[in-house]
Amino acid sequence: MTDLSMQKNLAAKVMKIGKNRVRLDPEKGEDIAVAITRDDIRGLIEDGAIKKIQKKGVSRGRARERDAKRAYGHRKGHGKRKGAKNARSSKKGRWMKTVRAQRRYLRGLRDGEEIDRSDYRMLYNKSKGGEFRSIRLLDTYIKMNNIRR
């Protein structure tokens, strides 16, 4: 078989890929050996005697599967965690979660007419000021001060 390295180099330059990604059809070796110009190479590419080899990439399939599992809480155990508690969920996020829960609870009490508007506003402001760590402590405060009707 003839040396087709020059044709391979030309084909790589014409197709703008690396030499290792050029595939020369072994059955059309004689036609390829005759090709000495870029135009000849382009003709052989159109005929299918010279082809590009598909680039190998890293599959995202496994990553997608893993992300889907994490979305519903799997693969998040102690061994997978790096960083402090607040590095994974912010202080602000935690604050918003507690305050919104307390406000929901107070709204329910007010709408159910268990507390009046003035008491609601007083408790709302205390909650906003961070006086209650949880709904349980807020409820304890309401019971201790006989606010509920």
Side-chain angles (χ1 to χ4, degrees):
M1 177 150 176
T2 56
D3 182 25
L4 302 175
S5 58
M6 194 262 301
Q7 284 82 354
K8 198 168 192 174
N9 288 346
L10 259 180
K13 285 178 184 174
V14 167
M15 293 192 282
K16 295 179 181 163
I17 57 173
K19 290 177 229 168
N20 293 337
R21 283 186 58 207
V22 176
R23 187 185 181 282
L24 306 176
D25 190 352
E27 291 174 11
K28 297 181 182 175
E30 290 145 24
D31 297 338
I32 296 169
V34 176
I36 55 171
T37 64
R38 283 170 179 259
D39 220 31
D40 295 339
I41 297 291
R42 284 189 197 101
L44 290 168
I45 291 166
E46 283 175 32
D47 295 342
I50 299 174
K51 292 180 181 172
K52 269 186 198 179
I53 295 173
Q54 183 70 44
K55 211 177 204 177
K56 285 190 181 82
V58 179
S59 169
R60 288 269 319 148
R62 288 182 300 279
R64 281 190 206 99
E65 195 178 329
R66 188 176 60 239
D67 293 345
K69 283 184 177 177
R70 281 187 184 148
Y72 53 77
H74 292 195
R75 302 175 79 114
K76 283 189 170 185
H78 291 294
K80 294 286 181 185
R81 297 177 198 173
K82 286 185 177 180
K85 191 178 188 180
N86 295 326
R88 294 174 62 85
S89 61
S90 66
K91 288 178 183 175
K92 183 177 181 175
R94 194 170 58 213
W95 165 256
M96 289 187 331
K97 200 173 176 183
T98 56
V99 165
R100 285 173 181 175
Q102 288 171 17
R103 286 175 180 175
R104 252 193 319 273
Y105 181 68
L106 287 172
R107 215 174 299 130
L109 292 176
R110 184 194 62 194
D111 294 344
E113 297 182 2
E114 293 182 52
I115 57 173
D116 61 2
R117 286 177 64 222
S118 61
D119 287 333
Y120 166 80
R121 182 50 49 193
M122 180 264 295
L123 291 167
Y124 185 97
N125 286 333
K126 283 183 182 296
S127 170
K128 182 180 179 180
E131 192 158 320
F132 313 114
R133 266 188 298 163
S134 64
I135 293 173
R136 184 178 55 82
L137 292 171
L138 169 61
D139 206 36
T140 307
Y141 180 88
I142 291 169
K143 283 175 187 166
M144 285 181 69
N145 292 297
N146 298 321
I147 295 171
R148 199 177 261 158
R149 288 183 193 173

